[in-house]
Amino acid sequence: MVLEPQPYTSLPGARFQPLSRELGFERYNLLEVSDDSVNYEDLFGGLEVDFMVHDGTLKLSGPAYVSNEAPMVCVVEGDLIVDGPLVIRDLDIYVPLWIKGSLRARDLVLSYDAQVFIEGDLELTGNLVTSGTDATHLVVHGETRIGAWLRPSHRGAIYLPASTPDPIEGDALTARLAPTLDPRRNFPLSLCEHVLAGQPLLRD
């Protein structure tokens, strides 16, 4: 069974509700949470900004595969807990995921234009993968507890605390990739598919 990606607002168990733009701008300062890296004007230009808010902790079962269909800001007013991997593949669309608490999952994969801002900790029993564009953002204000950080792409704004292990990249990453991964064949998609299927990314 092939897992189809879906927007944050359609994930089973999610209860995102719209918030007025006036309150959204008042409560959520994107420039501040991004460590002065990006603001709403950068992402949305002159377009109106839609805010969607999930009140409290959001728990998701099984793999969570995200690809959004419309630009918006999605805020989780609590922790985001995923019983499995969280894979985000936003292409040519900007949807900041703002987590007021911590993010806990097996793996976290950011591909293409994915954007995640975490005020708490990032806790992964597996790996972090950052394989995005210049628009990619990952900002963690708390601590990180992760297995390994795979960085096939240096693009994007990735702001992680000192508790983050050094990234595995370049030739070192190529040498350690699992035999079933071929970096020459649509590597970003292969990474996502491997993580969603529970297959290892690195050799033992």
Side-chain angles (χ1 to χ4, degrees), residues 150-170:
L150 284 63
R151 185 166 67 172
S153 169
H154 281 257
R155 299 172 67 184
I158 311 297
Y159 300 150
L160 301 175
S163 53
T164 307
D166 291 336
I168 306 171
E169 54 195 341

Side-chain angles (χ1 to χ4, degrees), residues 5-184:
Q6 53 192 321
Y8 293 121
T9 52
S10 298
L11 292 170
R15 300 182 305 278
F16 285 96
Q17 298 295 324
L19 182 71
S20 72
R21 295 185 180 94
E22 182 180 4
L23 282 176
F25 286 127
E26 180 181 320
R27 293 180 185 176
Y28 307 114
N29 185 328
L30 185 63
L31 193 63
E32 182 177 295
V33 79
S34 70
D35 282 347
D36 295 332
S37 176
V38 67
N39 60 29
Y40 292 118
E41 183 66 23
D42 295 328
L43 296 183
F44 301 103
L47 299 176
E48 294 182 331
V49 181
D50 291 325
F51 291 88
M52 301 294 292
V53 179
H54 177 96
D55 188 26
T57 293
L58 172 54
K59 295 183 178 181
L60 302 174
S61 61
Y65 189 15
V66 175
S67 181
N68 290 288
E69 299 170 349
M72 67 183 73
V73 179
C74 289
V75 181
V76 177
E77 279 283 355
D79 296 334
L80 173 56
I81 302 172
V82 185
D83 182 19
L86 172 59
V87 175
I88 307 169
R89 297 183 74 239
D90 281 339
L91 180 59
D92 294 332
I93 195 167
Y94 303 138
V95 181
L97 174 63
W98 186 328
I99 302 168
K100 298 290 288 183
S102 296
L103 169 57
R104 296 196 288 275
R106 190 188 74 200
D107 307 283
L108 174 61
V109 179
L110 303 186
S111 186
Y112 296 116
D113 302 323
Q115 302 185 357
V116 178
F117 305 94
I118 305 171
E119 292 194 31
D121 300 330
L122 173 60
E123 302 178 21
L124 305 175
T125 57
N127 303 315
L128 167 65
V129 181
T130 55
S131 178
T133 67
D134 291 339
T136 300
H137 276 78
L138 174 60
V139 182
V140 178
H141 289 265
E143 299 298 324
T144 57
R145 289 177 284 276
I146 66 177
W149 174 16
L150 284 63
R151 185 166 67 172
S153 169
H154 281 257
R155 299 172 67 184
I158 311 297
Y159 300 150
L160 301 175
S163 53
T164 307
D166 291 336
I168 306 171
E169 54 195 341
D171 292 341
L173 176 59
T174 301
R176 290 191 57 187
L177 285 175
T180 49
L181 276 170
D182 186 346
R184 298 167 297 181

